[in-house]
Amino acid sequence: MNNFDDYILGKTDTSNVLIKGENSKINLTEHADIKDFIKKRARDSHKGTYGRVGFLSGSKGMAGACVLNLNAALRSGSGLVKGFVTNSIYTIVDSMSLEALTYSFDEQNLSFSDLNRELIQFSDVIATGSGCANMRNYKNILEFIIKSASQTLVIDAEGINQLKLEMLKNHKQNIVLTPHYGEFANLLKKDVSYVRKDIIDKATEFSNKYNVYLILKGARTIVCCPEGYAYVNTTGNPGMATAGSGDVLTGIVASFIGQKIYIIDALRLSVYLHGLAGDIGNSNVGEYSLVAGDIIKYLPEAIQNTIR
Ligand SMILES: NC(=O)C1=CN([C@@H]2O[C@H](COP(=O)(O)OP(=O)(O)OC[C@H]3O[C@@H](n4cnc5c(N)ncnc54)[C@H](O)[C@@H]3O)[C@@H](O)[C@H]2O)[C@@H](O)CC1
Ligand SMILES: Nc1ncnc2c1ncn2[C@@H]1O[C@H](COP(=O)(O)OP(=O)(O)O)[C@@H](O)[C@H]1O
């Protein structure tokens, strides 16, 4: 295990184990790096300016994953946010995210033309997988989206579990995968201890080989791009090790991609703000009591502190 690994795994705070500089392909993400990524809104802008974000997420017993996706995207500045959800959770999602559009589908009898019209044609960016573990036929849905959508896809949680690496061959759109270490290990068909050694090499190799953007979530989340660059985040705290924190991140990521921020900047910004909102939450409610909804609650303060 090298010093990079210790820093990334949160075993040390000595960030200078990472070489930061123009010639290095490994960098930290700090305030100075991302502060200019969010621009002041043009006076004559309208909701269409800020992106249409579609989520296919949640399932029976996991309605909250979709609600967290939607509300995180709305609080990150998206103009239009839509949840394409199974009818078993429709009422919950519709009532817990008033500003989002919702469309319900019948899991037993899904119409792919509805999926195409209501999600794929609607969205500038699509995020899927959060809380989809109890959805029937989710693998077919995921395959259909990867084959049919040309816009950027953000694939989380069950989407990563159901992903077969062959599905990543010759994909035409940008794909962002957001695994935690357990999910990344599954993708590689290895165990977590394998992933925790030489983390950056494994993450960048994967990103390059499959031509995907990778957000490898952990104590210090790494963002990797296919060109081989890796960015280690510097915000966040162990209070964020709580159910649904990752669903919030997926909502933020999709939102900033939908706002047409250059993709790698959008990913670094999202991860930084998610951690910062968690840090502000920690200083208000403490790391024991922090819940995922608090990350959304403190996101406005995180954004305002960042762009000031
Ligand atoms: N309110 C909701 O609707 C929620 C829905 N959720 C959904 O629930 C589904 C399943 O979540 P589960 O938690 O059962 O399964 P996961 O696949 O998320 O986790 C499996 C295991 O991996 C471990 N793990 C996570 N991060 C790790 C790291 N950095 N290093 C090592 N091990 C790590 C976890 O402790 C856990 O034991 C997902 O689809 C998820 O989106 C969760 O997000 C929780 C909240
Ligand atoms: N110890 C920690 N320090 C900082 N951030 C953490 C820590 N533990 C978890 N997180 C963050 O919380 C989120 C958890 O995501 P995930 O495991 O997908 O949770 P869930 O599936 O419950 O939504 C990730 O963004 C991760 O970086």
Side-chain angles (χ1 to χ4, degrees):
M1 187 146 306
N2 62 33
N3 291 339
F4 283 19
D5 292 342
D6 281 352
Y7 179 70
I8 292 160
L9 293 170
K11 292 173 180 234
T12 167
D13 282 332
T14 345
S15 65
N16 60 11
V17 296
L18 291 166
I19 305 152
K20 194 168 193 266
E22 278 173 23
N23 298 324
S24 171
K25 285 192 138 185
I26 305 168
N27 277 284
L28 298 177
T29 300
E30 298 174 295
H31 178 253
D33 301 307
I34 49 84
K35 67 179 171 47
D36 299 325
F37 293 165
I38 307 181
K39 307 282 180 229
K40 189 168 166 39
R41 292 188 163 208
R43 190 69 187 82
D44 64 348
S45 58
H46 54 86
K47 65 187 172 191
T49 315
Y50 300 107
R52 299 156 77 99
V53 187
F55 293 93
L56 191 155
S57 58
S59 57
K60 195 166 182 188
M62 297 184 186
C66 181
V67 173
L68 291 166
N69 283 167
L70 297 170
N71 290 339
L74 285 160
R75 283 289 184 202
S76 302
S78 292
L80 274 163
V81 174
K82 184 182 210 176
F84 188 88
V85 296
T86 78
N87 44 22
S88 59
I89 61 167
Y90 174 76
T91 312
I92 302 172
V93 173
D94 197 47
S95 58
M96 296 208 58
S97 187
L98 295 181
E99 299 86 351
L101 304 168
T102 45
Y103 186 90
S104 72
F105 68 94
D106 178 0
E107 238 172 290
Q108 319 277 1
N109 192 16
L110 169 66
S111 148
F112 282 92
S113 78
D114 285 2
L115 174 58
N116 185 49
R117 188 187 63 250
E118 295 293 333
L119 185 74
I120 298 178
Q121 299 304 322
F122 167 86
S123 310
D124 295 320
V125 52
I126 296 170
T128 185
S130 306
C132 289
N134 296 333
M135 191 184 294
R136 271 178 75 128
N137 294 327
Y138 179 65
K139 187 168 168 237
N140 296 342
I141 294 173
L142 178 68
E143 237 175 321
F144 180 82
I145 293 174
I146 294 176
K147 280 201 187 121
S148 317
S150 55
Q151 59 275 67
T152 298
L153 300 181
V154 181
I155 303 181
D156 183 34
E158 188 63 11
I160 298 166
N161 293 333
Q162 294 291 339
L163 195 68
K164 297 282 161 279
L165 292 174
E166 309 88 80
M167 292 185 198
L168 294 178
K169 278 191 194 133
N170 306 320
H171 58 88
K172 51 186 178 297
Q173 67 286 76
N174 286 328
I175 293 188
V176 181
L177 301 181
T178 63
H180 58 56
Y181 281 59
E183 290 158 344
F184 190 48
N186 285 344
L187 265 184
L188 298 178
K189 299 191 175 55
K190 302 277 187 188
D191 55 27
V192 172
S193 58
Y194 171 84
V195 175
R196 286 164 64 95
K197 193 168 176 303
D198 301 327
I199 300 164
I200 293 210
D201 291 347
K202 281 164 187 153
T204 49
E205 267 166 33
F206 184 91
S207 181
N208 177 266
K209 181 168 177 193
Y210 292 101
N211 188 25
V212 291
Y213 294 85
L214 191 69
I215 299 181
L216 181 56
K217 297 181 293 194
R220 290 197 172 86
T221 294
I222 308 169
V223 170
C224 298
C225 61
E227 295 75 24
Y229 290 90
Y231 302 92
V232 181
N233 189 45
T234 53
T235 55
N237 64 83
M240 298 172 74
T242 178
S245 297
D247 306 331
V248 173
L249 178 63
T250 297
I252 301 172
V253 167
S255 174
F256 285 119
I257 293 173
Q259 290 175 63
K260 304 187 182 56
I261 296 177
Y262 174 61
I263 186 159
I264 196 72
D265 294 349
L267 305 190
R268 293 177 77 190
L269 174 68
S270 302
V271 171
Y272 182 91
L273 287 174
H274 177 252
L276 182 59
D279 290 342
I280 298 168
N282 182 11
S283 60
N284 280 278
V285 302
E287 63 182 19
Y288 276 85
S289 301
L290 192 77
V291 294
D294 293 328
I295 304 175
I296 300 176
K297 180 174 167 190
Y298 293 106
L299 197 51
E301 208 173 319
I303 294 174
Q304 280 173 331
N305 286 351
T306 298
I307 59 181
R308 103 185 105 82

